[in-house]
Each structure stands twice: as C-alpha cells, then as structure tokens.
Amino acid sequence: FMGLERPVESLSWDDATNFCKKLSQLTGKKFRLPTETEWEYACRAGTETVYYWGNSINNLYCWYKHNSDGKTHAVKQKKPNEWGLYDMCGNVWEWCNDWYGSDYYGKSPRNNPQGPHRGTYRVYRGGSWFDSARSCRVTNREYATPTYTNSPVGFRVARSVQ
C-alpha cells in the first residue's frame, strides 16, 4: 500500500484516459489529459528557465534519482511552481494527450498546438524519481505506446472549461 497521498503510477495512457472519461461521467464536467502545450505552460508558470525554479537542479523542488531513495513520495513535499502546482517535475512522469511526433513542434501552429493527428506513441512529460536531473527539465519529453505501463509513469488531470 503506497498511501493516498502519493501520485498514481504504473498505469498506461489508456488507463489514464479511461479514468478521465469515468470522472467526467460521474461529475458532469469534462476531464481529460492535458496537451503537451498545456502541460508545459502549466509547468513553466511564466518562467523561461531549464527547470521551473531556475537553470540548475534544486532538491527543494523535485524528486529525482539522486534524492528519491528509489521510490515515489507524497505530493506537496517539495516547493510548488509560481502558480502553486506541485511535482510538475520529478516524482512521476505524466501522460499527455498528444501523439508523439519527433519533428511536430518545429512545424506546428504557434498558437496552442494540439500535437499530431495520429501516431504510434503517446507523450509523457516531467521526469520521475527514477531519472536523472536532465530528465526533469521542462522541455524534456518521452513517449511510449498507449498500453505501456511502468512504475514511474502517472498522470495529471486537466478540466475543460465549457
């Protein structure tokens, strides 16, 4: 038992989107995974640095390989970003809605790109307790099949405003 205060982990993109659909049905509100653009915008919170707190790793903000003791930790144990969001970098990777396209952002629309229309892999962002500081950079992105599960991969829910 990991505890209710820890992030959800070890689930696939399919699992995460099914959770969002079920939550939407139960509440009557529209929940979903954020797009990569939304995720990065929320993570940066107005900053332009390598990490949302500056240009070098800082143990006060992030659980990663060198300070995690090889496991996830309860949320809100590290400092939040400027908008009050916790664990945007480190602790667990977070699935995004987008299909992965290696060259997509070089040719995407400038305003609110939504990712490729199709693909084989889905994107996850943010780094984890298992990874190096480099993986926790705001711009870092990884990808896997929608059925892929791994312990340091979880998700963050976005709510559409209607």
Side-chain angles (χ1 to χ4, degrees):
F1 179 73
M2 298 299 285
L4 295 176
E5 69 282 351
R6 292 195 181 191
V8 173
E9 59 180 317
S10 301
L11 76 162
S12 68
W13 183 91
D14 288 340
D15 294 333
T17 56
N18 285 333
F19 175 87
C20 291
K21 287 176 191 172
K22 187 66 154 176
L23 184 60
S24 296
Q25 291 169 350
L26 290 171
T27 64
K29 297 178 171 124
K30 174 91 169 120
F31 291 95
R32 59 183 173 76
L33 296 178
T35 65
E36 273 197 271
T37 303
E38 290 168 333
W39 185 94
E40 188 168 327
Y41 182 79
C43 183
R44 283 193 177 285
T47 66
E48 295 182 8
T49 52
V50 173
Y51 305 95
Y52 60 77
W53 57 83
N55 286 317
S56 60
I57 196 69
N58 184 330
N59 288 342
L60 297 175
Y61 290 89
C62 180
W63 293 113
Y64 69 110
K65 186 176 192 170
H66 297 291
N67 71 353
S68 70
D69 197 29
K71 61 185 177 186
T72 59
H73 291 268
V75 297
K76 297 172 80 171
Q77 300 302 302
K78 299 293 185 179
K79 290 185 174 188
N81 71 9
E82 289 295 315
W83 292 348
L85 299 173
Y86 290 87
D87 297 325
M88 290 297 294
C89 294
N91 219 7
V92 296
W93 290 96
E94 298 177 356
W95 285 111
C96 293
N97 190 60
D98 301 42
W99 289 106
Y100 174 75
S102 62
D103 61 348
Y104 176 76
Y105 289 99
K107 59 185 177 188
S108 68
R110 181 145 173 80
N111 187 20
N112 197 22
Q114 300 292 303
H117 294 291
R118 62 186 166 279
T120 303
Y121 304 106
R122 293 291 187 167
V123 176
Y124 52 93
R125 304 282 298 261
S128 79
W129 59 264
F130 180 79
D131 296 290
S132 70
R134 182 173 172 76
S135 293
C136 298
R137 295 170 300 137
V138 174
T139 58
N140 193 51
R141 53 201 297 253
E142 294 293 333
Y143 57 92
T145 63
T147 58
Y148 172 79
T149 60
N150 196 354
S151 64
V153 181
F155 70 106
R156 183 176 299 259
V157 175
R159 187 177 134 213
S160 294
V161 179
Q162 296 173 315

